């Protein structure tokens, strides 16, 4: 039934409801926009809000002018969005999706508004509604289309693996002590990778407890001969058959820690085989040296593991029994000579580095609790006996090789991640952290400032320092080096090579140094950076920027870079951004709220880089998360029962300030800067150019407020884990927020295969060829993604049919 004014009866309810909703949206945008304008931000939200408010009021009054005002507001919003963000897809979605959605409803309502006003026209608005709906539908479809950030301009050829050069074993955490994560294998290749299927699955029974901090399976398996070895979050070790996954033995260290539950990898040592009494000339003297027979019996082959409660354990690789000749019945107590170590203040989460006859270990010192925390000492032990060989302790200076039982210097820069080793040069490379606490450095010594957030090369025989290269001066941002250095012989264009070390950082930088001298091979510039004014603090006037290689995800943010799933949380992010002090990279903490981008969780992390020496391509995955930080004066902090954590309140006892920091997120829990939030990139080390960059990961298993969206939208999510490159031109990676193992074309970055995992993974995959069957396998652990509550205990192997 129609009213006398020609309006359908239903419209009596629908038009006021639609108008009220549009008016409420306008009121919210105008209110927030007015506040943003007072902060010096964009006026768009205020003006658009007023336009919507006026449109809504007119629609409530059933005036056609309300729809026309809305159309004008939408049209001007489109022009503003193009001016503010260009043609980038995700920024346009954030700015226009809500307005276009309401635009469809207003266009559909327009004929009713015309009739209510006594008119008879207006049916053309149905076409406008259809056009807007078509644009929105096209946008929704495009959301599911992978789109590279940087597209490859050329295709690198694949070099077949020469007979006899195939990889035999995956012996070290990064495959080799050079940390390449590269395997000279090509049985699984681009043509058949889509046929990969699960060969076997093993369940360890050790599921990390999701307590919100440090409860993650981040293991990289190890493969020797016909056995796969894997460690678990609570430092259990399992030896598995290479082809069936059947358990051969297991060992439980009974390790406990209050927060950290993880074992990233294992070490391996095998007594070299030698004739029983062979004669061999020594150098040019013509004398004969008698070689002793190889050691037989127990622990000729040994697996080494560090634990979260600070032990170094040696196990017989054949039986899993502790090696009685190592330390105290198979165990070295890493708390020895450390002085007071409170429970949980000192843990070891990196795989031990086996360098010749030594095993080298660092340790993670709890961040931000108090000054005077345990030492960051690095130690080398005899791999056979467990006897201490040398220490790298900043407080001992020239006495670095001392083994006198004196306590190690407290609160020195530590090495919590994995190290690398060059056997030819006889150097071990230490990527250091900073002296705790992170956000305050007024108490740091000259030696601390020299060695924090730096690569330190030490002699493998003595521990004596050879060179130091610092990536962040007087680090106040927790930009400690998280990644294992990658060692590579860079072609010099003259038929020779330069021995280089590649170090990635949390700041999204890639440094390439001569690993013999520590001098930059890729250009590094010292640039002025912002200065702070916290009482008692000092600041470095400059910071090193690696300009000879690409910087990834480290651009200086502007208000236009703010993002949100809707226009409303984008407005909230813009307000947050304008409320904070931000002067670009290295904005120092202060008593006000300061923004750090990328934050200490961002950039490149412990997963480290992979490299294909046949193409000279370096592969790096990143996460893009900002942090806000604030220093709290001590008198205001004493009553706050804060501990030492990566996020939230931290006591920093013994300094003038506590600290408060957290992720820079929208009200929906989404990073405030525009996508992608995580990528995979390839860098040509010969040219120093970015070859390709693609977003990695979808929102299928996560979403706003932690609610899974169940949609494979490839927006690019924060990554955490390592990749695996093979000579067949494949790059395998699983460290995403969704539950997949993926294979990328190393030439283009195109995703050419993915397989669903039972839970997420932050482990790094490995590959090997079985000496029994000749089949190539891909193996990884799956224990759960960082931001997911879903946890598991899976070891999964894939092979071709």
């Amino acid at each position: 039934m129609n009213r006398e004014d020609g309006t359908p009866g239903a419209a009596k309810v629908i038009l006021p409801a639609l108008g009220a909703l549009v008016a409420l949206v306008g009121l919210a945008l105008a209110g927030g926009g007015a506040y943003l304008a007072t902060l010096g931000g964009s006026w768009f939200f205020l003006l658009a809000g007023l336009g919507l408010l006026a449109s809504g009021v007119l629609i409530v009054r059933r005036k056609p002018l309300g729809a026309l005002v809305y159309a004008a507001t939408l049209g001007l919003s489109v022009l503003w969005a193009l001016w503010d963000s260009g043609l980038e897809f995700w920024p346009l979605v954030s700015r226009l999706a809500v307005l276009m959605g309401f635009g469809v409803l207003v266009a559909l309502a327009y004929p009713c508004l015309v009739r209510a006003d006594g008119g008879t026209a207006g049916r053309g608005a149905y076409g406008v509604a259809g056009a807007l709906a078509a644009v929105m539908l096209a946008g929704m479809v495009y959301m599911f289309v992978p789109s590279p950030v940087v597209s490859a301009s050329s295709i690198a050829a694949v070099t077949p693996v020469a007979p006899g050069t195939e990889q035999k074993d995956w012996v070290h955490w990064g495959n080799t002590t050079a940390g390449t994560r590269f395997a000279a294998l090509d049985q699984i290749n681009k043509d058949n990778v889509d046929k990969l299927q699960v060969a076997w699955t093993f369940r360890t029974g050790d599921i990390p407890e999701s307590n919100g901090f440090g409860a993650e399976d981040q293991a990289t398996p190890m493969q020797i001969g016909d056995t796969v070895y894997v460690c678990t979050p609570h430092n259990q070790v399992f030896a598995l058959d290479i082809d069936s996954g059947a358990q051969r033995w297991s060992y439980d260290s009974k390790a406990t820690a209050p927060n950290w539950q993880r074992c990233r990898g294992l070490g391996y040592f095998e007594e070299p085989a030698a004739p029983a009494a062979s004669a061999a000339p020594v150098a040019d003297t013509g004398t004969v040296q008698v070689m002793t027979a190889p050691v037989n019996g127990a622990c000729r082959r040994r697996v080494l593991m560090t634990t979260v409660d600070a032990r170094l354990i040696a196990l017989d690789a054949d039986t899993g029994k502790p090696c009685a000749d190592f330390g105290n019945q198979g165990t070295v107590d890493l708390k020895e000579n450390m002085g007071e170590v409170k429970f949980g203040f000192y843990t070891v989460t990196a795989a031990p580095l086996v360098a010749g006859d030594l095993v080298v270990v660092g340790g993670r010192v709890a961040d931000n609790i108090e000054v005077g925390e345990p030492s960051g000492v690095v130690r080398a032990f005899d791999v056979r006996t467990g006897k201490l060989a040398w220490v790298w302790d900043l407080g001992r200076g020239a006495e670095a090789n001392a083994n006198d039982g004196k306590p190690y210097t407290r609160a020195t820069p530590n090495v919590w991640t994995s190290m690398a080793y060059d056997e030819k040069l006889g150097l071990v490379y230490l990527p250091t952290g900073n002296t705790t606490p992170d956000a305050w450095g007024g108490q740091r010594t000259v030696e601390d400032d020299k060695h924090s957030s730096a690569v330190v090369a030490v002699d493998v025989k003595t521990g004596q320092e050879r060179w130091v290269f610092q990536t962040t001066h007087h680090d106040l941002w927790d930009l400690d080096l998280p990644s294992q250095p990658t060692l590579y012989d860079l072609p010099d264009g003259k038929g020779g090579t330069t021995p280089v070390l590649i170090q990635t950082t949390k700041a999204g930088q890639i440094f390439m140094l001569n690993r013999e001298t520590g001098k930059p091979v890729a250009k590094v510039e010292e640039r002025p950076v912002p200065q702070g004014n916290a009482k008692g603090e000092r600041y470095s006037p400059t910071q090193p920027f690696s300009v000879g290689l690409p910087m990834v995800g480290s651009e200086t943010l502007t208000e236009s870079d703010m993002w949100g799933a809707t226009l409303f949380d984008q407005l909230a992010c813009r307000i947050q951004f304008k409320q904070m002090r931000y002067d670009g990279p290295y904005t120092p903490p202060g008593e006000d709220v300061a923004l750090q981008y990328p934050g200490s969780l961002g950039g490149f992390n412990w997963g480290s880089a992979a490299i294909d020496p046949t193409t000279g391509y370096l592969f790096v995955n990143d996460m893009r998360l900002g942090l806000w930080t604030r220093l709290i004066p001590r008198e205001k902090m004493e009553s706050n029962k804060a501990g030492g954590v990566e996020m939230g309140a931290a006591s920093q006892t013994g300094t003038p300030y506590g600290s408060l920091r957290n992720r820079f997120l929208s009200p929906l829990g989404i990073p405030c800067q525009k996508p992608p939030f995580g990528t995979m990139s390839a860098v040509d080390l010969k040219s120093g150019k970015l070859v390709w960059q693609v977003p990695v990961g979808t929102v299928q298993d996560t979403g706003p407020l932690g609610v899974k969206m169940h949609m494979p939208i490839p927006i690019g999510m924060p990554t955490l884990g390592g990749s695996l490159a093979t000579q067949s031109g494949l790059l395998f990676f699983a460290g995403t927020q969704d539950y997949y193992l993926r294979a990328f074309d190393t030439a283009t970055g195109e995703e050419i295969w993915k397989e669903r995992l039972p839970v997420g993974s932050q482990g790094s995959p490995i590959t090997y060829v079985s000496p029994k069957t000749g089949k190539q396998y891909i193996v990884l652990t799956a224990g759960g993604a960082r931001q997911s509550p879903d946890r598991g205990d899976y070891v999964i192997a894939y092979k071709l049919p």
Side-chain angles (χ1 to χ4, degrees), residues 457-617:
V458 299
D459 189 292
V460 69
K461 294 180 180 179
T462 66
Q464 292 292 319
E465 188 177 296
R466 292 279 190 86
W467 56 257
V468 180
F469 179 87
Q470 192 166 60
T471 60
T472 303
H473 306 320
H474 196 68
D475 185 1
L476 301 174
W477 305 270
D478 192 19
L479 294 178
D480 49 6
L481 293 184
S483 311
Q484 181 184 33
T486 303
L487 311 185
Y488 173 59
D489 292 330
L490 180 72
D492 60 9
K494 303 174 184 178
T497 59
T498 302
V500 299
L501 175 149
I502 299 151
Q503 180 65 60
T504 58
T505 78
K506 290 181 181 179
Q509 299 203 65
I510 306 170
F511 290 88
M512 184 159 64
L513 314 173
N514 184 308
R515 66 175 183 264
E516 187 171 11
T517 66
K519 303 297 183 184
V521 173
K523 185 178 180 181
V524 175
E525 291 181 354
E526 287 285 338
R527 294 180 175 176
V529 292
Q531 300 294 288
N533 58 5
K535 296 176 182 178
E537 185 58 275
R538 58 185 185 274
Y539 303 91
S540 174
T542 64
Q543 292 291 348
F545 286 78
S546 180
V547 297
L549 289 171
M551 287 181 275
V552 177
S554 58
E555 65 276 6
T556 299
L557 298 177
T558 67
E559 186 193 332
S560 295
D561 292 316
M562 297 302 101
W563 195 79
T566 69
L567 197 60
F568 307 109
D569 51 321
Q570 182 189 146
L571 172 58
C573 284
R574 286 176 179 252
I575 290 173
Q576 286 188 71
F577 180 77
K578 298 303 290 187
Q579 287 176 325
M580 291 186 283
R581 175 171 49 84
Y582 176 65
D583 300 312
Y586 300 102
T587 297
E591 294 186 31
D592 54 353
V593 179
L595 174 61
Q596 175 190 345
Y597 182 81
S600 60
L601 299 178
F604 308 119
N605 215 282
W606 62 263
S608 308
I611 193 168
D612 184 342
T614 67
T615 61
Y617 283 8

Side-chain angles (χ1 to χ4, degrees), residues 152 154-159 182 190 610-612 614-615 617-619 680-683 691-692 723-732 743-752:
S154 61
I155 303 299
V158 174
T159 303
F182 169 81
K190 298 178 188 179
I611 193 168
D612 184 342
T614 67
T615 61
Y617 283 8
L618 180 79
F619 306 103
M680 182 70 74
S681 303
V683 177
V691 179
W692 52 257
S723 59
L724 157 67
T726 69
Q727 198 163 328
S728 60
L730 294 174
L731 184 74
F732 292 91
F744 300 89
D745 186 328
T746 57
T748 65
E750 178 188 1
E751 180 187 299
I752 56 179

